[in-house]
Amino acid sequence: MTAPAPRPAPPGADATTLRLGYGTNGFANHRLDDALAVIADLGYDGVALTLDHDHLDPFAPGLTRRVTAVGRRLGELGLSVVIETGARYLLDPWHKHAPTLLHDDPTRRIEFLRRAVRIGADLGAEAVSFWAGVRPEAVSPQCAWDRLVAGCATVVDAADSAGVTLGFEPEPGMLVEDIADWRRLHTALGAPARLGITLDIGHCRCLEPWPVPQCVAEVADHLVNVQIDDMRRGVHEHLEFGVGEIDFPPVLTALADAGYRGLVAVELPRDSHAAPAVAARSIDFLRAAAATAAAGARPTEDEVPPGALCSASTDAPATVRYADSGRRVE
């Protein structure tokens, strides 16, 4: 497939104008207030706030009061926000990410997403991000798809009522795992105006059939939220920048060329043990990559290194390996 022509960036825009954020799922060992302060002190423009037990639990008492306090703190620190909903054990202490929209009883997931939408509206979030989930073995593919479409329609209705933008994230190993799957879902829902795509840059390297900058161009018209991390072909493991295989200056150029002006939030959920140091290294790396991109760096050849599991310049899918005993590494 040929990449669509990117939308022209506003006059004077380049990679250095991109707005950087950091995900609170990479600060799981910090109190939320402390995490926000560290992120702001390091110079980030915003935060990707994962609603979780210690980070604005949407099911704990006093939600209105707590949301108001977080909104006030974000304002004091000058941080923009997107809402993420990938908490592992918030809904079920025994089963990671359960229930999803694909389970026999998705009631608690749907209520969680409705609350996330309301919280997003109250905080002025740029987007509320969510995903499909892994298909339970006992559920047929068609049944799982039908459940996903029905559940998403309910969430879209809630977002329409609240005036909130949704970003649906393709996740390796889930029912919607790539851009092609997202397109199918978007079409099945009638192409709702408030349903865009959350693009994880690492996932593009992991399994998409195109070079990463082309992935950005493919979804430029629907891009509402960006997560950024390094990754290797065929392995779903979020890595610090420079550890994986992604050439970042061309990616940041592609985001600028696409006219994307939302947060580009670092997504390193397995690095909470060293969160301040990792966040500091990350912003330094991305600023340097943005400066290189603004200076005119462009890829000179296909970004796939010799020995990759499959070529990113073809439509052949990657065989994805997971870095732990589960289906996903998140």
Side-chain angles (χ1 to χ4, degrees), residues 264-327:
V264 179
V266 177
E267 175 81 354
L268 293 173
R270 295 167 68 89
D271 289 278
S272 291
H273 64 285
V278 172
R281 290 196 295 268
S282 296
I283 197 168
D284 287 346
F285 181 97
L286 290 172
R287 283 172 171 167
T292 300
R298 298 276 177 172
T300 57
E301 57 186 64
D302 192 276
E303 65 179 356
V304 182
L309 292 183
C310 67
S311 172
S313 62
T314 73
D315 287 339
T319 300
V320 179
R321 178 170 64 83
Y322 299 88
D324 62 8
S325 58
R327 292 294 307 277

Side-chain angles (χ1 to χ4, degrees), residues 192-247:
R194 289 197 178 275
L195 181 65
I197 188 169
T198 292
L199 189 69
D200 187 304
I201 297 302
H203 295 169
C204 295
R205 177 60 185 155
C206 177
L207 85 171
E208 294 289 355
W210 312 288
V212 180
Q214 186 175 339
C215 292
V216 174
E218 291 282 341
V219 299
D221 289 339
H222 301 285
L223 194 56
V224 299
N225 186 29
V226 172
Q227 300 168 356
I228 194 163
D229 45 79
D230 211 342
M231 208 167 284
R232 300 186 182 99
R233 188 68 176 166
V235 182
H236 185 201
E237 182 178 10
H238 293 245
L239 302 172
E240 275 200 67
F241 302 109
V243 176
E245 299 170 344
I246 298 175
D247 182 15

Side-chain angles (χ1 to χ4, degrees), residues 148-164:
L148 176 64
V149 172
C152 286
T154 299
V155 179
V156 168
D157 286 345
D160 282 341
S161 297
V164 168

